[in-house]
């Protein structure tokens, strides 16, 4: 080993340690929607349910990480461990890019500048400190690129075999890395001069690629999931692609998104200027790029072209997708910085310094941005989630605008009953009427269980996406604010304002049953409030109240309640009836929800269309029943074709001091 190789290895080791420390010190505390989805999946789902068709490997890998952490005595979420593994992978990727640049160009400074530029770019850095799939996939892509460079120097079928394996792992990391087949085949074709050798290399590459990818997907489809029909497999594989969220015509907006995506890939602030400077370095070093092996250069350029065109169509403003293009760009930058100017050696020597300076600029721009982006104290969504968690109890339904709140509340505060428009639309297959019915059904089920419902104003009337931003889920589903608001119109009379901080979004609440108990009771002119009717021929909510056509043994049953009868003097019922039967009965349910004649009051109602008030004294029952678990009101014993309209039911609280 010569001194240069020894220095390179020591520098690679130092680089790895430095980037591990940097990434671990800047682990984000503010997660993306996808990251929280992965965390919750790994924390809660059994491993056979963790195979996502677009990144088949990540879920089971997360389950393995969680299993290892649990074996070491870790309790709680696997969040931190998943981030640590991603940070380690990010550091490994930086080291591999340095060693690759050194092997391709022979210049240690040029390779260092390229590796630092990738490691300090905003997209690579942020996804190395997050829980995401792209950093691990980038490591596999870098290994594949290393093997392509080796094939360009010395074509061997053994190297092509390992290229197929590395490419297969990259595809399992993220499905879009199937695009690498184009630059790989281009490089293999140009690396040799006769068709027999090309065929040999292609078979050596494609066979392990097909076995790794095909074997993994077949194993999941036939072994783990148990899918047997092709339509099931196709729906699983292409579900995301058919949502309409991605793709579409390449137009001016897509081109603007491309510029935005690449600018923010380099730096969230000032990325466009850095991009221009990087292009200038690439152009100035064209001689070094031209000295690359022809097959490797063609592979690098076709890599950038194929990935660029696909993601220009798919989602050009999303920085996570451009991480896959950083390894070939790093090799091109290394080659450009390693150029030897034939007329001015001194000026050529400054190229490496210029590359290092560019990397330092990226570090200076992105360190504050990474720290600020990952600071939980600056996270508005976390403040909203914390406020909602304080107002709610487990079991309360929280309807939020689509976004990370759907996941913040379950992950950080254990509020699992969170719902949104996007969930309803997916569950209904994109049918808005069915989705609206699902939302209303969730609300009714929650109220019938005695829990509260909190609804964001923005969930009731979704705001349009700001100019230049991707469309909201409502817009992607073709829904206007008026469409969505109409679904919540029947609830408006029941909703109460919620006291949140002035700078937080507005929410409204339908209080839980026990809260209504001591407030205004239940005014059925506004809705059912979670009560249900049995033994009726027909029922309807009207402006006058809950209109019933009784059958045999009709009853209105409250949601679960819990109160002490010692705190109540009477229960007041307001109703009108046209039935001939006028024998009503109010049951106080015990804490187990059971009825008993001993805990009931019989009374006679007056026939007529005028609403009358019946004040039922319950003090005599206090000696027999302490805690009440609910109410059951039988307006008549049996129907005779007439109707009953129940306007309201409320409790009359005993005055403080016990007097009447």
């Amino acid at each position: 080993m010569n001194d240069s190789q020894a220095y390179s290895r020591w520098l690679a080791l130092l680089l790895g340690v430095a980037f591990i420390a940097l990434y671990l010190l800047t682990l984000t505390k503010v997660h993306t929607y996808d990251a929280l989805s992965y965390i919750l999946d790994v924390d809660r789902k059994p491993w056979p349910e963790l195979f996502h068709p677009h990144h088949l490997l990540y879920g089971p890998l997360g389950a393995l990480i969680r299993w290892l952490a649990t074996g070491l005595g870790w309790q709680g979420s696997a969040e931190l461990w998943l981030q640590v593994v991603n940070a380690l992978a990010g550091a490994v990727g930086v080291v591999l890019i340095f060693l690759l640049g050194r092997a391709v160009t022979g210049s240690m400074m040029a390779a260092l500048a390229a590796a630092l530029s990738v490691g300090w770019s905003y997209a690579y850095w942020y996804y190395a400190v997050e829980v995401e799939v792209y950093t691990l996939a980038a490591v596999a892509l870098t290994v594949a690129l290393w093997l392509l460079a080796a094939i360009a120097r010395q074509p061997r079928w053994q190297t092509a075999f390992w290229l197929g394996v590395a490419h297969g792992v990259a595809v399992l990391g993220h499905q879009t890395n199937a695009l690498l087949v184009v630059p790989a085949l281009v490089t293999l074709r140009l690396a040799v001069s006769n068709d027999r050798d090309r065929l040999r290399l292609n078979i050596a590459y494609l066979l392990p690629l097909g076995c790794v990818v095909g074997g993994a997907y077949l194993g999941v489809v036939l072994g783990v999931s148990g899918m047997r029909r092709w339509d099931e497999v196709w729906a699983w594989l292409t579900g995301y692609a058919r949502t309409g969220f991605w793709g579409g015509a390449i137009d001016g907006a897509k081109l603007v998104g491309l510029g935005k995506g690449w600018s923010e890939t380099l730096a969230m602030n000032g990325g466009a200027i850095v991009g221009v400077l990087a292009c200038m370095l690439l152009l100035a070093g064209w001689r070094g790029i031209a000295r690359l092996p022809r097959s490797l250069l063609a592979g690098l350029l076709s890599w950038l072209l194929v990935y660029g065109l696909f993601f220009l169509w798919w989602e050009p403003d999303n920085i996570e997708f451009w991480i896959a293009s950083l390894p070939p760009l790093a090799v091109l930058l290394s080659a450009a910085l390693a150029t030897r100017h034939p007329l001015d050696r001194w000026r050529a020597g400054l190229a490496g310094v210029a590359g290092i300076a560019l990397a330092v600029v990226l570090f200076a721009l992105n360190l504050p941005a990474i720290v600020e982006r990952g600071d939980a104290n600056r996270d508005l969504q976390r403040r909203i989630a914390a406020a909602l968690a304080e107002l709610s109890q487990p079991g309360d339904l929280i309807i939020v605008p689509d976004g990370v709140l759907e996941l913040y509340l379950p992950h950080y505060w254990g509020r699992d009953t969170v719902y949104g428009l996007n969930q309803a639309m997916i569950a209904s297959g994109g049918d808005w009427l069915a989705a609206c019915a699902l939302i209303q059904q969730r609300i009714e089920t929650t109220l019938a269980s005695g829990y509260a419902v909190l609804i964001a104003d923005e969930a009731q009337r979704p705001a349009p996406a700001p100019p230049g931003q991707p469309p909201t889920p409502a817009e992607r589903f073709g829904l206007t604010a008026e469409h969505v608001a109409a679904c919540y119109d029947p609830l408006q009379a029941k909703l109460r304002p919620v006291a949140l901080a002035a700078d937080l979004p507005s929410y409204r609440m339908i209080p839980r049953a026990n809260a209504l108990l001591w407030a205004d009771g239940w005014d059925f002119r506004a809705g059912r409030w979670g009560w249900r009717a049995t033994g009726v021929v027909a029922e309807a909510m009207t402006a006058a109240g809950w209109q019933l056509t009784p059958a045999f043994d009709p009853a209105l049953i409250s949601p679960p309640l819990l109160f002490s009868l010692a705190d109540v003097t009477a229960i007041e019922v307001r109703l009108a009836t046209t039935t001939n039967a006028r024998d009503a009965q109010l049951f106080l349910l015990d804490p187990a929800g059971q009825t008993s004649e001993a805990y009931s009051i019989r009374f006679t109602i007056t026939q007529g269309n005028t609403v009358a008030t019946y004040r039922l004294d319950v003090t005599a029952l206090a000696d027999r029943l302490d805690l009440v678990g609910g109410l059951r009101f039988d307006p008549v014993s049996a129907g005779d074709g007439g109707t009953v309209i129940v306007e309201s039911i409320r409790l009359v609280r005993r005055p403080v001091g016990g007097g009447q």
Side-chain angles (χ1 to χ4, degrees), residues 241 244-254 309-316:
F245 285 11
W246 299 281
I250 297 177
D251 52 16
K254 288 286 182 74
L309 288 175
F310 180 82
F311 288 117
L312 173 62
W313 166 74
W314 187 250
E315 195 176 20

Side-chain angles (χ1 to χ4, degrees), residues 458-653:
E458 191 177 339
Q460 297 186 63
R461 184 173 286 274
Q469 295 298 313
T472 65
E475 291 172 327
R476 283 170 167 164
F477 285 117
L479 299 174
T480 65
E482 288 70 26
H483 274 120
V484 179
C487 185
Y488 293 94
D489 280 347
L491 306 173
Q492 296 307 312
K494 294 200 287 270
L495 291 170
R496 308 286 187 264
V498 171
L500 296 180
D503 61 334
L504 298 183
S506 298
Y507 276 74
R508 300 177 192 278
M509 171 189 280
I510 303 175
R512 62 188 61 86
N514 252 49
L516 286 167
L517 185 75
W518 300 116
D520 300 326
W522 300 275
D523 187 338
F524 298 114
R525 293 171 295 183
R528 288 182 177 83
W529 300 99
W531 286 64
R532 58 189 175 89
T534 62
V536 298
V537 176
E539 58 173 308
M541 308 311 295
T542 70
W546 196 346
Q547 181 172 303
L548 312 163
T549 303
F552 178 74
D553 195 22
L556 299 183
I557 304 171
S558 77
L561 305 170
L562 190 62
F563 64 93
S564 173
L565 202 55
D567 296 328
V568 181
T569 60
I571 297 178
E572 186 179 277
V573 180
R574 284 179 54 79
L575 63 86
T577 181
T578 61
T579 61
N580 292 319
R582 293 183 288 124
D583 51 336
Q585 189 172 13
L586 177 70
F587 290 91
L588 306 180
L589 310 184
D590 66 18
Q594 300 300 310
T595 60
S596 170
E597 287 289 335
Y599 309 145
S600 71
I601 300 174
R602 293 181 178 272
F603 62 103
T604 302
I605 55 179
T606 303
Q607 187 180 40
N609 292 317
T610 303
V611 174
T613 301
Y614 301 89
R615 190 182 180 98
L616 310 176
D617 189 343
V618 296
T619 55
L621 299 179
D623 293 335
R624 293 177 240 164
L625 181 65
D626 179 18
L627 293 178
V628 179
L631 301 176
R632 168 179 162 167
F633 174 51
D634 297 4
V636 291
S637 58
D640 54 18
T643 61
V644 175
I645 296 179
V646 183
E647 180 186 286
S648 64
I649 298 175
R650 74 179 188 91
L651 272 62
V652 179
R653 193 163 196 162

Side-chain angles (χ1 to χ4, degrees), residues 304-597:
L304 295 174
L305 179 64
V306 170
Y307 274 78
L309 288 175
F310 180 82
F311 288 117
L312 173 62
W313 166 74
W314 187 250
E315 195 176 20
D317 58 334
N318 194 335
I319 64 175
E320 63 193 23
F321 294 133
W322 297 117
I323 293 173
S325 296
L326 292 176
L329 280 173
V331 173
L332 291 175
L333 182 61
S334 295
L337 297 177
T339 186
R340 297 293 183 268
H341 197 286
L343 301 178
D344 193 340
R345 291 179 178 272
W346 181 81
R347 185 165 51 186
L350 288 178
V353 176
I356 296 291
L358 182 68
V360 171
V361 169
L362 282 172
F363 179 81
L365 289 173
N366 288 326
L367 177 60
I370 292 289
V371 171
E372 180 178 322
R373 173 69 176 79
D375 184 359
N377 294 322
R378 303 173 62 92
D379 185 8
L380 177 62
Q381 299 303 314
R382 191 177 301 237
R383 287 186 57 217
I384 297 170
L388 293 174
E390 187 175 346
L391 284 168
S392 64
Q393 297 176 1
D396 291 346
L397 176 64
I398 307 174
I399 300 180
V400 298
D402 295 302
V404 294
L405 279 179
E406 296 176 46
L407 305 175
Y408 266 42
L409 285 158
H411 178 61
Y412 292 111
W413 285 279
R415 299 292 188 266
D416 291 320
T417 48
V418 180
Y419 209 55
L421 181 145
N422 193 50
Q423 294 179 56
M425 289 296 284
I426 291 173
S428 66
D431 182 340
W432 167 239
L433 292 179
C436 174
L438 284 175
I439 293 171
Q440 293 176 343
Q441 181 182 358
R442 285 250 179 165
I443 293 171
E444 285 300 319
T445 300
T446 301
L447 296 176
S449 301
Y451 294 110
V453 176
L454 289 89
I455 309 176
D457 283 4
E458 191 177 339
Q460 297 186 63
R461 184 173 286 274
Q469 295 298 313
T472 65
E475 291 172 327
R476 283 170 167 164
F477 285 117
L479 299 174
T480 65
E482 288 70 26
H483 274 120
V484 179
C487 185
Y488 293 94
D489 280 347
L491 306 173
Q492 296 307 312
K494 294 200 287 270
L495 291 170
R496 308 286 187 264
V498 171
L500 296 180
D503 61 334
L504 298 183
S506 298
Y507 276 74
R508 300 177 192 278
M509 171 189 280
I510 303 175
R512 62 188 61 86
N514 252 49
L516 286 167
L517 185 75
W518 300 116
D520 300 326
W522 300 275
D523 187 338
F524 298 114
R525 293 171 295 183
R528 288 182 177 83
W529 300 99
W531 286 64
R532 58 189 175 89
T534 62
V536 298
V537 176
E539 58 173 308
M541 308 311 295
T542 70
W546 196 346
Q547 181 172 303
L548 312 163
T549 303
F552 178 74
D553 195 22
L556 299 183
I557 304 171
S558 77
L561 305 170
L562 190 62
F563 64 93
S564 173
L565 202 55
D567 296 328
V568 181
T569 60
I571 297 178
E572 186 179 277
V573 180
R574 284 179 54 79
L575 63 86
T577 181
T578 61
T579 61
N580 292 319
R582 293 183 288 124
D583 51 336
Q585 189 172 13
L586 177 70
F587 290 91
L588 306 180
L589 310 184
D590 66 18
Q594 300 300 310
T595 60
S596 170
E597 287 289 335

